[in-house]
Amino acid sequence: MTEFKILGISGSLRADSYNTALLRAAQKFTPPGVSVEIYDRLRDIPPYDLDLDTPHGRPVAAQDLRDKVNAADGLLIVTPEFNYSIPGVLKNAIDWASTDWTGAEGAPLLRKPVAVAGASPTNFGSVRAQLALRQVFVWTDSDVVVKPELIVFRAHERFDEAGNLIDETTIRLLQDLLNALAAKMKGE
């Protein structure tokens, strides 16, 4: 059986992030034949700089992200919401992974299957952040999972103190999202 690899990226840098906990839950609830690798170097990526965005000038952390996106069959992006949008560190990472100025490398996000989710302690979860993120993926021409949507609102009620996802409805929705992403990765 072919193993499909999802690269999971959390838009939060917090150690006790609900979004990173959601990625850990995704590792636990993946469908058969699918694995989730959590990208943990978001903090290391410098601000996007067009002058450095070349195959030989790119910062090591930015190139590492591009390599991991290229190697993955799909992406699972989980994001908190800041100021009605996505965190700057996440947008910055997407900027580094979206380009092909030379026309020779290929843009890592081009037609890449992507699923979007988010968790927040508020009543609206990450609705606006996910909408903003989906708009970014229109420009990158990524293959975004449209449904189901996974908006984990009141996240503090859905995870236990150790950061484990315990809410059965959220687990089911996460599994549905992962199955939809797996179907895109398999070309179904």
Side-chain angles (χ1 to χ4, degrees), residues 69-90:
V69 170
N70 276 324
D73 298 297
L75 300 178
L76 173 59
I77 310 289
V78 294
T79 184
E81 185 170 303
F82 292 148
N83 298 320
Y84 280 25
S85 192
I86 58 176
V89 293
L90 180 57

Side-chain angles (χ1 to χ4, degrees), residues 45 53-56 58-70 96 105:
I45 300 173
D53 193 8
T54 66
H56 304 292
R58 213 172 272 125
V60 172
Q63 186 61 51
D64 177 65
L65 172 66
R66 290 174 65 94
D67 292 344
K68 288 189 179 302
V69 170
N70 276 324
W96 279 110
E105 294 180 282

Side-chain angles (χ1 to χ4, degrees), residues 1-5 32-35 73 186:
M1 176 184 245
T2 302
E3 179 80 11
F4 289 90
K5 185 170 81 174
V34 177
S35 65
D73 298 297
K186 295 173 185 176

Side-chain angles (χ1 to χ4, degrees), residues 166-187:
I166 57 171
D167 181 72
E168 290 300 321
T169 300
T170 305
I171 290 169
R172 184 178 41 72
L173 287 169
L174 176 59
Q175 290 172 317
D176 290 348
L177 183 67
L178 291 168
N179 284 325
L181 179 57
K184 280 192 179 289
M185 292 186 305
K186 295 173 185 176

Side-chain angles (χ1 to χ4, degrees), residues 138-155:
V138 168
W139 175 253
T140 62
D141 198 14
S142 301
D143 189 11
V144 178
V145 172
V146 178
K147 288 186 179 179
E149 294 179 311
L150 180 54
I151 301 160
V152 184
F153 63 95
R154 300 184 60 82

Side-chain angles (χ1 to χ4, degrees), residues 30-44:
T30 55
V34 177
S35 65
V36 175
E37 173 190 350
I38 297 176
Y39 181 78
D40 62 0
R41 295 194 56 207
L42 196 63
R43 180 183 309 275
D44 299 336

